[in-house]
Amino acid sequence: MAHVCIHWFRKGLRLHDNPALIAALKDCKELYPVFIMDPNLHSSEVGISRWRFLIGALKDLDSSLRKLNSRLFVLRGKPEEVFPKLFSKWKVTKLTYEYDTEPYSLSRDEKVTSLAKETGIDVIYKISHTLYNIERIIEENDGKPPLTYKRLQAIVAKLGPPEKPIPAPTLDDMKDVKTPCSEKDEKKYGIPTLEEFGLDSTSLGEELFPGGEQEALRRLDEHMKKTGWVCSFEKPQTSPNSLNPSTTVLSPYVTFGCLSARTFWWRLTEVYRGKKHSDPPVSLHGQLLWREFFYTCSLGIPNFNKMKGNTVCTQVDWDTNQDYLAAWREARTGFPFIDAIMTQLRQEGWIHHLARHAVACFLTRGDLWISWEEGQKVFEELLLDGDWALNAGNWQWLSASAFFHQFFRVYSPIAFGKKTDKNGDYIKKYLPLLKKFPPQYIYEPWKAPRSVQQAAGCIVGKDYPHPIVQHEQVSKKNVQRMKEAYARRSTASSESPIKKQGEKRKSLSVVDMLQKKARKE
Ligand code: FAD
C-alpha cells in the first residue's frame, strides 16, 4: 500500500541522519513534513534569541525540503488538537517522528500516538536524538540510570560504538513522492515571524549563531578541519573568558537537532583515526558522552528538574531572595566577572561551560544561596542551547546537589577569571563602562582609589554597583550550610529502607507502550 505520510518535526530539525524521515519515505506516495508551534512551548519561558534560532532552523529546513520538491507545513496549536484535523483532511495513513525523552514530549507523544492508532494510522518513531537508545543503557544497568560517568562508560563500552548516521534523502529517494500544496497553503502554513508572537526583534543583538542544519554542518566542517585542535581537545584547558569561543558552540545545533549527535561523534572518530588523541571525559567524544549521561539520568530519575521528589538530589534549605536573584539575572551583582558572563548570556545566548560553572556556583552554594531551580529557569530562557536534561543535570552538579559532592571547592568570582584573562579583556568587552579600569582593579573595581575610579569614568556605587555580598564571608558560611545539608542527607538515607540512589523505572515510556502494543498485534 502506498502511504500518505506525515513526518512530524519537533527537535531533529534536519535531513541528515533522520531515520524517521527515511521511514516516512518508504512506500510513500504523499509526504507532509509538519512542524507544530506548540503554545505550551511558547508560554514557557523561551527567550527571543531562542525563538530567532528556531525560526532560522525552520526556514533552513523548509528550503532544504523544497530542493527535494517538498516543503515544511508549520501549524499552530496543541499537537493533540491539530493532528486529528490533519489526519482526516489529508487522509493520512502513516505518522513518523523522532523519539524524545523529555517528560513533556513523552506525554504529548503518547496522546498523539493513541489518537493516530485509533484512526488506524501506522506510527513509526526512531531514536536519533541521542547516541544510544538510552532505555537500553538503563536496561543494561539493571533498570537504573548509571549515576557516575565511569559506570556509563562501562555500559556503552559493552554496547559498542553508536550507530552510524544515515545520509539525507536525495531527489532519487523522492521520485515517487509528492507533497501536494497550493498557493493558498504558502501563507496558511508559512514559517512564523517573531512579530507574530508579539516579540520585538529590534531588541535583538547580532545573530552570532544562526539556526539551521546548513549552518550546523558548516560549523562542524570548520572545526573538524582543525585536526590538531580536535585531537588535543581537553575541556578543562579551554577558557571561560576568551573573546572568541574556545569550544565548538555546536550545542544549540545539537539541542534543536540541526546536527545529529551521531554525525558529530563519527566525524570525530574519522579525525581521530590513526592519531594520538585525548579521551573521555575531557575529549570531544567525552563531551558527547556527558550529554548521554545526563539524558540517561533525566529519563531514569523522576522529577529530575526539581529538588523535591528527586531521589538523587540533596535537599538544601535555599533562601528566597528576589533582589539577589534579579541582580544575578540582570548582571548587576557588582562582581565584573559574573556580570560580564550574564551580559554575554543575555546578548549572545551562549556562554562557555566554565563560565556557566562560575555563575551557577555563585548563584547557589558559592555566594547567593539561591536554589539551582531558579538558575535553571533563567538559563532555559536565555540559552540558545537550553536543553531540559542537560540544564537540570548540570545545575544539580554545580550546586553540589547531585553527581558532584566537593561542595567545599568554591569558585572565586574574582580569582577564577583572572587565571585565563589577567587583563580583563573579556570584562571590558561585555561591560564597556569598566573598560578604563587598570588590570589590577578590573575584577575588583570597588578596591580602586577614588581617583582611579574618577579617571576610569566609573564610580562604584553610582555607575556600577558595589558587590552585593562579601564573597570571603558568605562562601565560608555557605560551605557550613552545605555541610549541614549533607549531614541531614546521610541521616535520612541511613533511615530509609532503600538507599535512594536512582530508582528502578516504574512508568511505561512511549517506547515500552509501543513495544507492548507491537507484541500484542
Ligand atoms: P563543546 O565543549 O564543544 O562540546 C560538544 C558538545 O558536547 C556540546 O555541544 C554538547 O552537546 C555536549 N556537551 C558539552 N559539555 C556538556 C556537559 N557538561 N553536559 C552535557 N553535554 C555536554 N548544555 C546544553 O546543551 N544545554 C543546556 O541547557 C546546558 N545547561 C548547562 C547548565 C549549567 C549550569 C552548566 C554548568 C552546563 C550546562 N550545559 C548545557 C553543558 C555545557 O556547558 C554546554 O553543553 C557547552 O558549554 C556547550 O558548548 P559547546 O557546544 O561549545 O561545547
Side-chain angles (χ1 to χ4, degrees):
M1 162 181 153
H3 281 284
V4 175
C5 184
I6 290 182
H7 175 71
W8 182 15
F9 283 100
R10 305 92 62 82
K11 293 170 188 152
L13 298 177
R14 62 173 184 268
L15 299 189
H16 74 278
D17 194 30
N18 193 335
L21 177 62
I22 298 294
L25 297 179
K26 192 160 182 280
D27 302 324
C28 176
K29 59 176 181 181
E30 286 178 13
L31 173 74
Y32 294 92
V34 157
F35 182 88
I36 301 177
M37 280 285 178
D38 189 335
N40 207 319
L41 175 69
H42 186 207
S43 63
S44 73
E45 293 289 303
V46 175
I48 184 166
S49 305
R50 193 121 138 263
W51 280 109
R52 173 167 70 176
F53 189 94
L54 172 63
I55 290 170
L58 295 178
K59 277 189 190 152
D60 177 68
L61 187 61
D62 183 49
S63 126
S64 302
L65 286 164
R66 283 175 196 263
K67 287 180 194 144
L68 296 175
N69 301 323
S70 181
R71 62 159 291 177
L72 187 65
F73 293 79
V74 181
L75 291 107
R76 285 80 168 154
K78 282 193 173 144
E80 61 271 27
E81 287 166 12
V82 170
F83 272 117
K85 292 180 203 146
L86 295 183
F87 291 157
S88 65
K89 182 173 175 188
W90 291 335
K91 299 187 175 46
V92 174
T93 59
K94 184 161 76 171
L95 171 70
T96 59
Y97 60 83
E98 180 187 64
Y99 183 50
D100 183 341
T101 50
E102 236 180 272
Y104 163 72
S105 314
L106 284 171
S107 88
R108 173 198 63 194
D109 294 352
E110 205 171 314
K111 282 183 217 149
V112 171
T113 300
S114 301
L115 287 169
K117 293 229 154 185
E118 276 164 24
T119 329
I121 293 170
D122 289 352
V123 179
I124 298 176
Y125 68 90
K126 298 277 181 188
I127 291 162
S128 48
H129 190 59
T130 43
L131 296 174
Y132 293 91
N133 172 356
I134 53 183
E135 303 247 349
R136 275 282 289 135
I137 298 179
I138 293 176
E139 242 171 59
E140 279 291 325
N141 196 43
D142 192 25
K144 291 184 228 162
L147 294 182
T148 64
Y149 189 85
K150 269 218 160 95
R151 183 76 198 126
L152 177 98
Q153 275 183 298
I155 292 168
V156 301
K158 258 202 258 170
L159 296 177
E163 265 178 42
K164 289 219 162 139
I166 54 171
T170 60
L171 270 174
D172 196 43
D173 297 319
M174 295 287 288
K175 68 180 186 306
D176 301 321
V177 183
K178 280 198 175 54
T179 295
C181 55
S182 65
E183 196 62 28
K184 226 172 56 208
D185 292 344
E186 285 295 329
K187 236 186 146 171
K188 186 167 175 199
Y189 301 116
I191 315 272
T193 59
L194 288 171
E195 286 67 29
E196 187 183 310
F197 295 115
L199 298 167
D200 174 16
S201 56
T202 55
S203 66
L204 279 163
E206 192 191 341
E207 191 171 19
L208 295 177
F209 312 111
E213 179 181 17
Q214 296 317 307
E215 176 61 14
L217 294 172
R218 189 200 65 74
R219 262 194 106 76
L220 180 68
D221 280 344
E222 189 179 276
H223 284 296
M224 293 308 108
K225 276 186 207 143
K226 300 182 286 179
T227 316
W229 182 79
V230 169
C231 290
S232 60
F233 184 95
E234 294 196 355
K235 188 66 164 272
Q237 305 311 325
T238 59
S239 157
N241 45 10
S242 54
L243 298 185
N244 289 310
S246 59
T247 54
T248 64
V249 197
L250 284 169
S251 50
Y253 302 93
V254 178
T255 293
F256 280 91
C258 301
L259 175 64
S260 146
R262 299 190 297 214
T263 301
F264 192 174
W265 176 277
W266 282 99
R267 286 291 299 277
L268 288 167
T269 305
E270 278 166 35
V271 175
Y272 292 155
R273 193 161 288 137
K275 295 183 201 77
K276 194 169 164 280
H277 61 84
S278 53
D279 284 312
V282 294
S283 62
L284 278 166
H285 262 175
Q287 303 314 302
L288 290 172
L289 287 178
W290 279 115
R291 180 172 180 268
E292 219 63 12
F293 173 74
F294 288 121
Y295 262 85
T296 314
C297 290
S298 76
L299 183 65
I301 299 165
N303 303 310
F304 190 62
N305 65 334
K306 298 189 177 66
M307 178 175 81
K308 294 215 168 102
N310 174 342
T311 51
V312 301
C313 183
T314 303
Q315 305 296 302
V316 178
D317 60 342
W318 303 112
D319 291 340
T320 305
N321 187 328
Q322 292 305 332
D323 291 342
Y324 277 5
L325 179 60
W328 177 81
R329 191 177 53 225
E330 290 158 20
R332 38 183 186 80
T333 65
F335 289 95
F337 181 51
I338 300 297
D339 293 342
I341 296 170
M342 294 307 286
T343 305
Q344 185 190 11
L345 172 61
R346 188 165 291 277
Q347 285 175 359
E348 299 176 3
W350 182 90
I351 48 176
H352 184 275
H353 182 60
L354 295 174
R356 298 181 200 209
H357 274 226
V359 295
C361 181
F362 184 85
L363 179 73
T364 57
R365 66 188 169 86
D367 295 78
L368 303 187
W369 201 257
I370 289 177
S371 165
W372 60 269
E373 288 180 45
E374 296 298 334
Q376 175 184 239
K377 278 186 228 156
V378 173
F379 270 27
E380 171 72 20
E381 180 196 342
L382 298 178
L383 278 173
L384 291 177
D385 63 30
D387 177 296
W388 191 85
L390 303 193
N391 203 19
N394 277 287
W395 271 99
Q396 287 175 75
W397 182 294
L398 260 299
S399 60
S401 299
F403 312 115
F404 171 82
H405 304 293
Q406 291 163 304
F407 56 80
F408 43 87
R409 290 177 60 174
V410 174
Y411 289 102
S412 156
I414 298 148
F416 183 47
K418 278 188 191 167
K419 280 203 276 187
T420 39
D421 179 21
K422 271 214 158 32
N423 252 339
D425 292 336
Y426 174 81
I427 293 172
K428 292 179 189 173
K429 176 173 176 187
Y430 291 101
L431 302 178
L433 90 162
L434 297 178
K435 73 171 185 258
K436 291 199 182 134
F437 273 91
Q440 74 261 41
Y441 295 119
I442 186 107
Y443 284 85
E444 304 167 277
W446 63 92
K447 287 195 176 163
R450 183 83 181 177
S451 59
V452 173
Q453 296 186 26
Q454 268 163 348
C458 174
I459 305 295
V460 175
K462 180 169 158 263
D463 304 311
Y464 182 70
H466 277 294
I468 51 170
V469 288
Q470 299 265 3
H471 171 70
E472 290 304 325
Q473 287 169 18
V474 293
S475 58
K476 279 198 188 92
K477 184 174 144 211
N478 290 346
V479 165
Q480 197 50 40
R481 287 178 90 173
M482 211 63 199
K483 220 181 204 169
E484 287 158 19
Y486 269 55
R488 283 194 297 274
R489 186 183 77 159
S490 60
T491 322
S493 65
S494 65
E495 282 164 6
S496 157
I498 35 162
K499 290 249 180 220
K500 292 182 164 183
Q501 288 288 295
E503 284 183 350
K504 280 207 180 198
R505 301 191 58 227
K506 286 180 217 98
S507 60
L508 281 186
S509 70
V510 172
V511 172
D512 296 331
M513 192 179 87
L514 294 176
Q515 278 168 351
K516 233 172 135 186
K517 279 200 173 158
R519 277 197 294 271
K520 272 194 206 151
E521 278 157 12

